[in-house]
Amino acid sequence: MRMPGAAPATPAAGRPTDAERIRSVLAAAHSMTVVTDGLSSEVRHLDGSDPMGRLHLHPSEPGGECEYRPSIRLEFTDIAPTPARDRVRARVTITGRLLTPYTDEGADSTCMEFGRAVLETDEGRTCVGLEELDAARPDPLAPYEAGMLTHLLDDHAELVTLLLRLVRPLPATAVLRVLPLAMDRYGITLRLELHRGHQDVRLPFPSPLEDVEQSGVQIQALFSAARRRSHHNSLPA
């Protein structure tokens, strides 16, 4: 199930699918907005636990529309942990109808008839079906990404700037600031802040990660490549 004109489910090499992005946003979420029958409440103590483990999503049942089932909408906002401009990276909305009463406490008993899952980013709006969502897995870095990016910026800001050497082509205007915006198993995304607006650039890892323990080696590989690029650029013609 996909919105007209949206990108296909299989992304370009080196990028997570839309379903994987949704699962990653949920896996890293510490809060969500729950709207049931028009009443909104904020849930702020997810503690990094994936809400998909507390809500059981079921496919729509034939004839179910004849029964009254309260509507439910779950809203998640993915915000960059670093102080970049326009920090909202994505919004995820999951809609459906309740099969059992929703309560903030004991939510593992809540069953929900799935309606749709929507991912909204700067690249557009995509609708993902239940089968695709069930088959996807969160990115292995998702629960750790915020801490990794803030550590990189706070303690190794000079290395973040060094990664600019790997950006080709560079923006035509001067880059005022470079910030690590996102990181997943495929690579790191830098935000280049310009006088007017910004530009996001993905730097791929040498190979996709299978677990978070592999991240240090892959990040160091990018730093080494940037140093080599810097050295070669300084050699006389």
Side-chain angles (χ1 to χ4, degrees):
M1 183 169 64
R2 193 159 294 277
M3 302 296 286
T10 302
R15 289 180 180 268
T17 66
D18 293 328
E20 288 170 342
R21 287 200 67 180
I22 290 175
R23 291 301 304 270
S24 297
V25 169
L26 269 58
H30 288 272
S31 65
M32 66 178 174
T33 300
V34 180
V35 183
T36 54
D37 269 1
L39 300 177
S40 177
S41 62
E42 297 292 327
V43 180
R44 300 184 180 277
H45 48 80
L46 296 178
D47 299 326
S49 58
D50 190 341
M52 292 287 284
R54 301 167 55 183
L55 290 163
H56 304 289
L57 302 181
H58 299 265
S60 299
E61 300 176 1
E65 63 276 0
C66 299
E67 303 176 23
Y68 173 71
R69 294 170 181 171
S71 63
I72 183 170
R73 185 170 74 250
L74 310 176
E75 300 173 348
F76 303 84
T77 303
D78 177 31
I79 299 176
T82 52
R85 300 173 183 169
D86 301 327
R87 292 177 63 191
V88 175
R89 302 184 298 190
R91 299 184 191 275
V92 170
T93 305
I94 299 177
T95 60
R97 298 192 299 171
L98 287 172
L99 300 176
T100 58
Y102 174 81
T103 171
D104 188 16
E105 302 299 330
D108 22 350
S109 62
T110 299
C111 291
M112 173 180 168
E113 183 182 82
F114 180 84
R116 64 178 182 173
V118 178
L119 173 70
E120 295 180 78
T121 69
D122 288 343
E123 298 174 352
R125 185 171 183 264
T126 306
C127 189
V128 175
L130 181 57
E131 184 176 347
E132 189 179 355
L133 198 62
D134 279 341
R137 292 294 175 264
D139 191 279
L141 300 189
Y144 313 99
E145 182 204 22
M148 295 169 71
L149 292 181
T150 53
H151 169 73
L152 186 59
L153 182 61
D154 293 344
D155 297 338
H156 305 287
E158 74 287 353
L159 295 179
V160 177
T161 303
L162 179 68
L163 291 176
L164 193 60
R165 303 277 184 174
L166 299 178
V167 176
R168 292 292 184 274
L170 285 169
T173 60
V175 176
L176 302 181
R177 186 168 66 157
V178 184
L179 293 170
L181 181 73
M183 190 185 302
D184 55 47
R185 65 189 297 258
Y186 297 101
I188 185 169
T189 299
L190 301 180
R191 170 153 293 176
L192 315 184
E193 295 189 348
L194 315 173
H195 280 288
R196 292 185 178 181
H198 59 261
Q199 178 179 332
D200 294 342
V201 180
R202 284 183 63 88
L203 300 179
F205 291 138
S207 60
L209 307 180
E210 295 301 325
D211 54 59
V212 68
E213 285 75 17
Q214 299 173 353
S215 59
V217 172
Q218 299 282 32
I219 293 171
Q220 288 299 325
L222 288 182
F223 292 150
S224 296
R227 291 187 184 99
R228 289 195 299 271
R229 180 71 58 85
S230 174
H231 174 69
H232 292 323
N233 288 350
S234 65
L235 292 177

